[in-house]
Amino acid sequence: MRITPLHPWIMQKIGCRPAEFDRSTLVEVQFQRLAAIIAYARQHSPFYRDLYARLPVDIRPRDDFSDLPFTTDENVRLNPARFVCVSQEEIHRIVTLPTSGTTGQPKRIFFTEADQALTIDFFAVGMSTLVEKGDRVLILLPCERPGSVGDLLATALQQTDCVPFKFGPFQNERQVLDFIVQNHINVLVGAPVQLHRLACKDEQDGILPQGFLHSVLSSTDVLSGAIRENLTRVWGCKVFDHYGMTETGLGGGVECEAYSGYHMRDADLYYEIIDPITGRNVSEGEEGEVVVTTLTRAAMPLIRYRTGDLSRQLPGICPCGSFITRLEPIKRRLSSDRQVKGGLIYQDLLDEALFRIRGIADFEAVLEKNGIRDCLTIIGETFTETSFDDLAIKVQEALQQFPPLRKTVMGLDVKIEIRSLNQEIGKYAFVFKKRQVKDQR
């Protein structure tokens, strides 16, 4: 097993020689960069100038960093321009992130050309985990605009001597499968549920032989264990997961061949895990909310930004041999929690239960009130010709028998609807959001 390519890349990025590169050296460089970005933000960002107005001038990250106030999603939404540290002429790309609800101000994230170059650099190294020279890579992420995630990824892949194909989120699974065959694609990059829908359609139609695809990268949303297993079963390929968000500059961390957590982008990002209630840092290995600080961003640095994602920092050295920061794959987001009588219910928990059912390509979950009781409606979608009634029974059984859901489901009225995806093309044509249980109570 080879060491993650991020390991030597980070060593080079911090200007360290192999004999000197160890965990303590890496952490020391991160603290130096934390001090520099705090000073930079205080000088150039109106938001941080005001936020830190009453704090000492000589903040020492090693001792004082965990006492600094957090930056929140709401802070960024309310006035993103107050975070900007450069002139408008230096802004190369602005990404607008819609709110997950029907109302609310969207977030706007600003990048300089140098900021985006850092992302391209990370993408090129991260993708070398799963691609080889000459691979033909189909990009199913948004890529129509210059500087979009798919466009940056295509630029990075060209630097690794791969052949990228910018396809984008698709409307018709069969069209994508035919494109894969016609263009001899052997690597896919996409959102987990879109990849799953593609695999389900392929399992029905038998388009791609086992081994036609040698690797797949899932990105932009939580990859459930059920989807990972299904992609491996249908295509016989390796499946890797990437963690990142627009706020971190798109790239954050990627799994290596050991599949033992994300190796994080330590040269550009600093991660903490906090108790989401108290805000205090938790012990290594303990689960909590992921907090990130951008170390090298010029346009819009974020310091102690609360992501709302739950994970834990994995202790020790990865089986691949690297000591750089590792995060356990994200299991859920705090914003996705829905409180019902029997406990919590959230999208990622439902994914683990329902995507294990052969024939379920996708589903929506909706919470409503039925008198005084909560009602959970599952709208399952399938490509198969099997009886919708049979699939509905399997969904009901999966909800009742999946241990983490059993008690919660007992306190709900549950309705199951199954419909054909062959009549539902176009649902992802224009919207590319993270999935979550819709709460209409």
Side-chain angles (χ1 to χ4, degrees):
M1 181 189 304
R2 63 171 178 153
I3 196 168
T4 172
L6 267 66
H7 187 96
W9 175 73
I10 289 171
M11 179 181 68
Q12 181 270 328
K13 291 274 287 183
I14 68 173
C16 191
R17 292 180 295 185
E20 301 169 343
F21 189 45
D22 56 22
R23 182 68 192 172
S24 61
T25 301
L26 174 58
V27 171
E28 183 59 37
V29 171
Q30 287 185 309
F31 280 134
Q32 292 171 8
R33 294 188 175 186
L34 285 171
I37 201 65
I38 291 169
Y40 175 79
R42 290 182 86 160
Q43 180 178 357
H44 298 287
S45 161
F47 174 82
Y48 285 112
R49 187 182 304 130
D50 291 346
L51 187 66
Y52 297 161
R54 298 184 180 181
L55 298 179
V57 175
D58 58 338
I59 294 173
R60 296 165 297 179
R62 185 178 291 277
D63 301 320
D64 306 328
F65 190 69
S66 63
D67 293 326
L68 292 182
F70 294 109
T71 304
T72 67
D73 178 270
E74 184 180 14
N75 295 147
V76 177
R77 288 186 191 281
L78 288 178
N79 200 336
R82 286 179 53 79
F83 286 84
V84 177
C85 295
V86 299
S87 67
Q88 286 299 313
E89 290 75 18
E90 295 176 82
I91 298 298
H92 189 253
R93 168 88 168 136
I94 303 173
V95 179
T96 301
L97 301 174
T99 179
S100 57
T102 56
T103 61
Q105 187 171 341
K107 280 186 286 190
R108 302 179 76 215
I109 311 297
F110 297 77
F111 300 94
T112 65
E113 189 171 4
D115 292 336
Q116 294 210 293
L118 290 172
T119 297
I120 292 170
D121 190 24
F122 169 76
F123 280 171
V125 176
M127 286 299 294
S128 68
T129 303
L130 61 144
V131 300
E132 300 174 354
K133 182 178 179 179
D135 278 344
R136 301 169 70 81
V137 185
L138 186 62
I139 301 170
L140 301 172
L141 304 176
C143 55
E144 68 281 1
R145 295 182 181 179
S148 61
V149 59
D151 181 61
L152 296 179
L153 180 57
T155 301
L157 286 165
Q158 289 171 337
Q159 294 179 1
T160 64
D161 294 323
C162 291
V163 183
F165 293 81
K166 296 192 291 185
F167 198 99
F170 52 84
Q171 302 180 48
N172 187 307
E173 287 77 11
R174 181 56 190 261
Q175 181 184 29
V176 178
L177 292 168
D178 289 340
F179 186 91
I180 290 171
V181 174
Q182 294 162 6
N183 292 278
H184 307 287
I185 303 296
N186 59 357
V187 179
L188 299 183
V189 180
V193 173
Q194 279 211 315
L195 293 169
H196 178 68
R197 288 161 60 100
L198 201 60
C200 288
K201 181 63 173 175
D202 188 29
E203 188 170 32
Q204 159 122 349
D205 292 358
I207 306 299
L208 305 181
Q210 278 264 323
F212 196 92
L213 300 171
H214 76 69
S215 57
V216 168
L217 179 70
S218 172
S219 187
T220 75
D221 210 345
V222 174
L223 172 65
S224 69
I227 289 181
R228 187 195 292 266
E229 292 169 14
N230 289 339
L231 298 182
T232 302
R233 174 179 55 80
V234 174
W235 287 329
C237 62
K238 294 182 178 179
V239 180
F240 296 86
D241 194 15
H242 167 259
Y243 173 62
M245 57 186 64
T246 305
E247 294 91 326
T248 65
L250 300 171
V254 66
E255 292 177 316
C256 71
E257 294 174 353
Y259 300 105
S260 185
Y262 309 114
H263 287 286
M264 306 311 293
R265 187 179 165 187
D266 279 346
D268 297 317
L269 303 169
Y270 180 76
Y271 286 91
E272 305 169 81
I273 306 294
I274 65 164
D275 183 311
I277 297 175
T278 67
R280 305 309 299 174
N281 288 78
V282 302
S283 301
E284 186 179 47
E286 186 177 342
E287 186 179 80
E289 182 181 357
V290 179
V291 173
V292 63
T293 297
T294 61
L295 300 176
T296 53
R297 284 262 295 283
M300 190 178 181
L302 295 174
I303 301 172
R304 305 203 78 203
Y305 179 75
R306 296 185 66 155
T307 66
D309 295 335
L310 290 180
S311 182
R312 64 189 184 100
Q313 185 171 332
L314 297 172
I317 296 175
C318 177
C320 81
S322 178
F323 54 74
I324 63 177
T325 302
R326 285 182 299 139
L327 292 188
E328 184 177 60
I330 304 300
K331 295 296 191 298
R332 82 179 211 264
R333 296 181 171 87
L334 290 169
S335 61
S336 72
D337 288 351
R338 303 290 183 259
Q339 185 70 51
V340 295
K341 183 178 180 181
L344 285 179
I345 195 165
Y346 49 92
Q347 185 70 50
D348 309 315
L349 194 60
L350 293 171
D351 285 354
E352 287 292 354
L354 301 188
F355 282 133
R356 298 184 184 279
I357 303 170
R358 292 281 188 98
I360 295 296
D362 202 351
F363 70 91
E364 292 180 307
V366 182
L367 277 172
E368 300 171 292
K369 274 293 184 185
N370 184 12
I372 61 172
R373 287 174 62 84
D374 291 330
C375 177
L376 174 66
T377 299
I378 300 293
I379 305 168
E381 300 175 327
T382 182
F383 292 112
T384 70
E385 303 300 326
T386 58
S387 166
F388 285 3
D389 290 340
D390 289 346
L391 274 179
I393 291 170
K394 290 179 180 179
V395 169
Q396 186 81 46
E397 290 175 346
L399 293 172
Q400 294 172 345
Q401 295 174 9
F402 189 54
L405 278 171
R406 187 180 298 140
K407 181 180 177 182
T408 305
V409 170
M410 287 176 60
L412 297 170
D413 290 334
V414 178
K415 298 179 181 178
I416 311 295
E417 176 186 340
I418 306 293
R419 61 192 182 195
S420 172
L421 267 171
N422 294 317
Q423 301 170 6
E424 294 290 331
I425 63 172
K427 76 178 283 187
Y428 289 113
F430 305 106
V431 180
F432 206 78
K433 291 183 179 180
K434 292 178 172 60
R435 299 161 66 252
Q436 60 181 350
V437 177
K438 296 178 181 179
D439 196 343
Q440 298 180 353
R441 290 175 293 180

